[in-house]
């Protein structure tokens, strides 16, 4: 906050110095009101639509200006308002006081307007703040008409007062007076744009562009039927800037009057009533989608139209979902439980909105696919544009296939064999495109076998899709789909021949590359003596010539010999020898005893 205050003080100081210099030259004061406001709005919140931040900035700036001019509104204990008069204009900063007071009230009103969607009572507060802003703007114009101000300042004050009053009349739905005020402001800003340099022309022209949609909306409410088409053209030309959101609001307000005529809708042979206002507005917008796309020239404008439709579809679905909270069948469907029998009309309408959302997303993605195809390398894209990779197209086709697979599962059409067959045929066609671009990505990596296999799968899916389209002559894009698949079929055939040729060239040149390209082969030299490979490690001290220690190798075992002849030999009898041994043993024992007794007797 301190930094912000310092910057603003510096701005006010520069403005005061400039005003003093101007006054010293010709004794007139100059207030570049619109340029001053635009710079403040861009730096303090309105670039992102933050009106509360901008309102706080205006309050702080008013306080600083009053302090620097010694023009307080009382003291600590009491408020004593002072009215600004032309005789007080000794500095251009006096003109900034009513200007930023009006801006503060206007910013507060716009903040309340955004909050009034959920709290309707705040709309009364918004109108009162706009009335207060008109009071300050009238004070600015009366003071700015002083002889001390130059012609530019007078015109700026008149234009700003007319614009603020036009905002008040517009919110009060007083279309004729609002149109008159806006026309006056637009005329003054156009004259100022033609009188100054190119930089100032841009600022004034921006304010003219902001006023033009409000003028056409007022004209439509007065009775001009062509005003709606003008608003649509402005929306298409706006793209994705801040003006586009304002135009979306005006278009939605314009179609509110037409919504009363749309009471029912028919889809897949079943007619259901449309009771929710948001759904009516969305269906009216969908009726004008094709005409808006035909008028749109650039890709960005068409993508912006699709994004706007998808946003409105989501809002309509949410509004319809709120009304289905008491539908037990819908609750069961949300939880993923199976449903038997016929669903309610509002539940069927919800499925219809989901179908529109999915098909619109598919159309948006197909538009992005066509744009990316223009930047493929073979199409020679413009210099400075990003080259498209096959993987980018594969991702988009994946999303398209996923959205298509969700359509047959919508409640109410699950038993519809016709739509299931149509979706199956469409999925096969997009799978053919996806397989083709996956093959392109493999071809860039020189994986020829995988590439040929993917091309063959794409060719098979392409043939199946063409056969399926013959059974659906009522398809809305039958001719376009058949033409696209036939072109893809011819392209795949050519790419397969090219892929085979490249694979042969790579296999024939692989032997030549072995002599020139160093290879890091970890096998020892003794295992590849019949191959010549350039390897720098062989000329160093760490050359791998053989494995050491050598690996274990299996060897044959020593033979085992068995003496089988022993079983057939008859040995001689040894009984006589056994008797002789027994006698010898007995005689030996008696001799030992006798010798022992005889020796004892002698002793």
């Amino acid at each position: 906050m301190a930094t912000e205050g310092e910057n603003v003080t510096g701005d006010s100081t520069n403005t005061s110095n400039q005003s003093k210099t101007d006054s010293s030259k010709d004794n007139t004061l100059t207030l570049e009101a619109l340029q001053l406001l635009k710079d403040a709005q861009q730096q303090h919140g309105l670039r992102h639509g933050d009106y509360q931040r901008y309102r706080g900035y205006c309050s702080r700036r008013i306080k600083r200006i009053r302090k620097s001019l010694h023009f307080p509104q009382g003291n600590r204990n009491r408020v004593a308002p002072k009215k600004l008069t032309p005789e007080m204009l000794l500095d251009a900063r006096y003109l900034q006081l009513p200007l930023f007071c009006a801006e503060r009230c206007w910013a507060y009103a716009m903040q309340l307007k955004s909050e009034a969607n959920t709290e309707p009572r705040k709309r009364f507060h918004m109108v009162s703040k706009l009335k207060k802003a008109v009071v300050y703007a009238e004070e600015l114009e009366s003071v700015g008409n002083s002889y001390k101000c130059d012609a530019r300042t007078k015109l700026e004050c008149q234009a700003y007062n007319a614009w603020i009053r036009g905002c008040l009349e517009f919110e009060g739905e007083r279309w004729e007076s609002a149109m008159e005020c806006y026309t006056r402001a637009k005329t003054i800003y156009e004259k100022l744009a033609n009188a100054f340099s190119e930089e100032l022309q841009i600022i004034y022209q921006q304010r003219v562009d902001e006023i033009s949609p409000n003028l056409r909306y007022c004209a439509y409410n007065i009775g001009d039927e062509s005003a709606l088409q003008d608003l649509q053209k402005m929306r298409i030309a706006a793209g994705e800037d801040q003006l586009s959101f304002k135009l979306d609001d005006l278009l939605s307000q314009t179609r509110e009057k037409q919504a009363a005529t749309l009471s029912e809708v028919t889809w897949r042979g079943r007619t259901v009533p449309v009771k929710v206002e948001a759904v009516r507005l969305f269906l009216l917008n969908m009726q004008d989608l094709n005409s808006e796309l035909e008028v749109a020239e650039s890709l960005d404008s068409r993508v912006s139209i699709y994004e706007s439709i998808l946003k409105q579809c989501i809002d309509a679905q949410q509004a319809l979902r709120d009304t289905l909270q008491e539908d037990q069948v819908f609750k069961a469907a949300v939880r993923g439980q199976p449903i038997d029998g016929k669903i309610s009309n509002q539940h069927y309408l919800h499925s219809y909105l989901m179908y529109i959302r999915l098909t619109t997303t598919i159309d948006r993605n197909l538009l992005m696919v066509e744009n990316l195809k223009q930047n493929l390398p073979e199409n020679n894209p413009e210099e400075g544009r990003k080259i498209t990779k096959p993987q980018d197209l594969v991702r988009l086709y994946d999303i398209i296939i996923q959205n298509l697979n969700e359509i047959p599962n919508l409640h109410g059409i699950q038993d519809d064999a016709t739509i299931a067959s149509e979706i199956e045929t469409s999925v096969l066609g997009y799978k053919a495109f996806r397989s083709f671009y996956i093959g392109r990505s493999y071809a860039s990596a020189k994986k020829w076998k995988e590439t040929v296999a993917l091309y063959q799968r794409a060719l098979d899916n392409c043939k199946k899709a063409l056969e399926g389209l013959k059974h659906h002559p009522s398809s809305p894009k039958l001719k376009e789909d058949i033409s696209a698949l036939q072109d893809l079929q011819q392209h795949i055939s050519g790419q397969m021949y090219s892929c085979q040729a490249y694979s042969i060239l790579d296999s024939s040149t692989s032997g030549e590359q072995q002599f020139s390209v160093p290879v890091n082969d970890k096998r020892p030299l003794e295992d590849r003596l019949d191959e010549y490979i350039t390897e720098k490690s062989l000329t160093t001290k760490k050359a791998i010539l053989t494995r050491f220690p050598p690996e274990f190798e299996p060897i044959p075992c020593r033979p085992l010999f068995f003496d089988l002849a022993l079983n057939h030999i008859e040995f001689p009898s040894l009984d006589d020898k056994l008797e002789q041994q027994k006698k010898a043993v007995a005689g030996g024992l008696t001799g030992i005893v006798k010798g022992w007794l005889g020796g004892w007797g002698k002793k």
Side-chain angles (χ1 to χ4, degrees), residues 287-306:
Q287 294 177 1
D288 300 330
L289 177 62
N290 293 328
S291 59
E292 292 180 7
L293 290 174
E294 291 175 358
V295 176
E297 297 179 357
S298 63
L299 172 72
D300 293 337
S301 61
R302 283 184 285 177
V303 171
S304 175
I305 292 171
Y306 277 121

Side-chain angles (χ1 to χ4, degrees), residues 437-469:
Y437 286 106
I438 294 175
R440 288 281 300 271
S441 63
Y442 273 98
S444 61
K446 296 184 178 182
K447 297 181 179 180
W448 307 117
K449 294 181 181 179
E450 294 85 350
T451 304
V452 172
L454 287 166
Y455 283 164
Q456 187 62 46
R457 178 180 295 179
L459 198 59
D460 295 340
N461 288 332
C462 192
K463 292 178 180 179
K464 292 179 182 178
L466 287 172
E467 288 293 330
L469 288 174

Side-chain angles (χ1 to χ4, degrees), residues 231-250:
L231 284 174
Q232 291 175 352
K233 292 178 181 178
M234 291 179 185
R235 173 64 184 88
I236 293 169
E240 283 293 338
D241 56 3
Q242 190 70 22
L243 183 61
S244 65
F245 300 106
K246 182 178 180 180
L247 287 167
D248 288 336
D249 294 337
L250 290 178

Side-chain angles (χ1 to χ4, degrees), residues 217-501:
Y217 184 72
C218 293
Y220 173 78
N221 286 279
I222 292 172
D224 187 0
E225 296 295 336
S226 63
L228 179 59
Q229 298 179 358
D230 295 338
L231 284 174
Q232 291 175 352
K233 292 178 181 178
M234 291 179 185
R235 173 64 184 88
I236 293 169
E240 283 293 338
D241 56 3
Q242 190 70 22
L243 183 61
S244 65
F245 300 106
K246 182 178 180 180
L247 287 167
D248 288 336
D249 294 337
L250 290 178
L251 285 171
S252 62
Q253 294 174 17
T254 304
R255 292 190 173 99
E256 285 179 358
K257 295 185 177 181
Q258 301 176 350
T261 61
L262 184 65
S263 59
E264 58 184 19
V265 65
T266 303
W267 179 53
R268 309 298 297 182
R270 180 176 174 179
T271 302
V272 295
V274 182
K275 300 179 181 179
V276 182
E277 191 71 18
V279 179
R280 291 178 181 175
L281 293 175
F282 167 68
L283 294 176
L284 285 172
N285 292 338
M286 282 299 300
Q287 294 177 1
D288 300 330
L289 177 62
N290 293 328
S291 59
E292 292 180 7
L293 290 174
E294 291 175 358
V295 176
E297 297 179 357
S298 63
L299 172 72
D300 293 337
S301 61
R302 283 184 285 177
V303 171
S304 175
I305 292 171
Y306 277 121
E307 293 291 345
S308 177
I309 287 293
L310 288 172
K311 181 181 178 183
Q312 295 174 23
C313 183
I314 294 172
D315 296 338
Q317 276 187 293
Q318 183 60 43
L320 184 59
R321 194 179 292 112
D322 293 339
T323 63
L324 288 170
Q325 293 299 324
E326 302 300 328
D327 191 340
Q328 299 298 327
V329 177
F330 180 77
K331 287 184 177 181
V334 171
R335 291 193 294 267
Q337 298 177 2
I339 300 175
D340 296 330
K342 189 176 181 180
I343 62 176
S344 63
N345 289 334
Q346 297 304 305
H347 192 176
Y348 190 79
L349 182 60
H350 184 272
S351 298
Y352 177 52
L353 293 181
M354 192 64 191
Y355 173 79
I356 294 176
R357 179 179 173 182
L358 292 172
T359 53
T360 305
T361 304
I362 291 170
D363 293 338
R364 191 270 312 270
N365 289 339
L366 288 175
L367 184 64
M368 297 173 66
V369 165
E370 294 300 324
N371 179 57
L372 289 175
K373 285 182 179 179
Q374 296 176 1
N375 298 328
L376 287 170
E378 62 268 16
N379 293 332
N380 298 323
E382 297 179 2
E383 186 177 355
R385 301 192 68 176
K386 184 180 178 181
I387 302 297
T388 300
K389 297 180 181 179
Q391 294 86 335
D392 300 334
L393 294 169
V394 171
R395 181 177 59 85
L396 287 174
Y397 279 118
D398 279 332
I399 298 173
I400 292 172
I401 293 171
Q402 182 180 358
N403 290 332
L404 283 172
N405 288 327
E406 292 180 10
I407 292 176
N409 298 324
L410 295 177
H411 304 122
I413 60 171
Q414 293 174 335
D415 298 331
D416 193 337
T418 304
I419 194 170
S421 178
E422 292 176 357
I423 295 300
E424 183 180 359
T425 302
S426 300
V427 168
L428 286 173
Y430 292 121
K431 281 185 176 180
F433 282 99
R434 184 183 64 177
S435 299
F436 173 71
Y437 286 106
I438 294 175
R440 288 281 300 271
S441 63
Y442 273 98
S444 61
K446 296 184 178 182
K447 297 181 179 180
W448 307 117
K449 294 181 181 179
E450 294 85 350
T451 304
V452 172
L454 287 166
Y455 283 164
Q456 187 62 46
R457 178 180 295 179
L459 198 59
D460 295 340
N461 288 332
C462 192
K463 292 178 180 179
K464 292 179 182 178
L466 287 172
E467 288 293 330
L469 288 174
K470 295 179 181 179
H471 298 88
H472 301 289
S474 60
S475 178
K477 298 180 180 180
L478 179 64
K479 294 182 178 179
E480 297 179 6
D481 294 341
I482 291 177
S483 177
L485 289 172
Q486 288 176 349
D487 293 341
L488 177 64
Q489 198 171 6
Q490 294 178 358
H491 199 185
I492 290 173
S493 300
Q495 289 290 329
M496 289 183 70
Y497 291 126
S498 300
C499 182
Q500 292 173 358

Side-chain angles (χ1 to χ4, degrees), residues 529-542:
L529 293 175
D530 56 344
E531 300 178 13
Y532 180 80
I533 298 176
T534 303
E535 187 177 354
K536 295 181 180 180
S537 64
L538 294 176
T539 59
T540 62
K541 295 181 179 180
K542 296 182 180 180

